[in-house]
Amino acid sequence: QVQVVESGGGLVQAGGSLRLSCAASGSFFYINFMAWYRQAPGKQRELVASITSGGNTNYAASVKGRFTISSGNAKNTNDLQMNSLKPEDTAVYYCKVEGAAGLRRNDYWWGQGTQVTVSS
């Protein structure tokens, strides 16, 4: 069984920081990349940041310079350090894992999401 679990969400004042973590577990043969998406009420889900197995990172323009994605200490984990948070960062943040597990290859799995609320 494959599982993707996010943690670290919460309530923070504008200008503050939060660190989100994503852990993928189960029968993964390999993981190509992991990414963070977010979805605010009434809006489409959008890509925030991604990291490949080789360590290459990519960021949405809206978070570049404020957010940093990195590999976690444990295998198949990552961390999203969010600094200088703004009210518009308020959303449910989801971790997406792309790779191969079980009978699926070049497929993806979503976590359940973690709420980030930034007060003004």
Side-chain angles (χ1 to χ4, degrees), residues 28-63:
F28 281 100
F29 297 112
Y30 56 83
I31 291 175
N32 294 324
F33 66 87
M34 295 186 288
W36 284 95
Y37 288 72
R38 67 186 181 188
Q39 187 165 25
K43 292 191 173 183
Q44 296 274 28
R45 190 171 298 186
E46 63 175 347
L47 177 65
V48 175
S50 64
I51 183 167
T52 70
S53 60
N56 294 319
T57 59
N58 189 50
Y59 300 92
S62 59
V63 307

Side-chain angles (χ1 to χ4, degrees), residues 1-8 20-26 28 31 34-36 70-80 94-97 109-114:
Q1 170 147 305
V2 170
Q3 189 173 26
V4 178
V5 179
E6 305 99 331
S7 62
L20 306 183
S21 297
C22 175
S25 62
F28 281 100
I31 291 175
M34 295 186 288
W36 284 95
S70 60
S71 297
N73 293 326
K75 182 177 173 62
N76 296 335
T77 66
N78 77 79
D79 299 304
L80 182 68
Y94 298 90
C95 182
K96 180 185 179 183
V97 177
W109 293 260
W110 290 96
Q112 79 288 346
T114 185

Side-chain angles (χ1 to χ4, degrees), residues 79-98:
D79 299 304
L80 182 68
Q81 178 66 45
M82 305 186 295
N83 298 325
S84 302
L85 284 162
K86 305 174 180 179
E88 50 262 45
D89 294 319
T90 295
V92 177
Y93 283 69
Y94 298 90
C95 182
K96 180 185 179 183
V97 177
E98 197 274 345

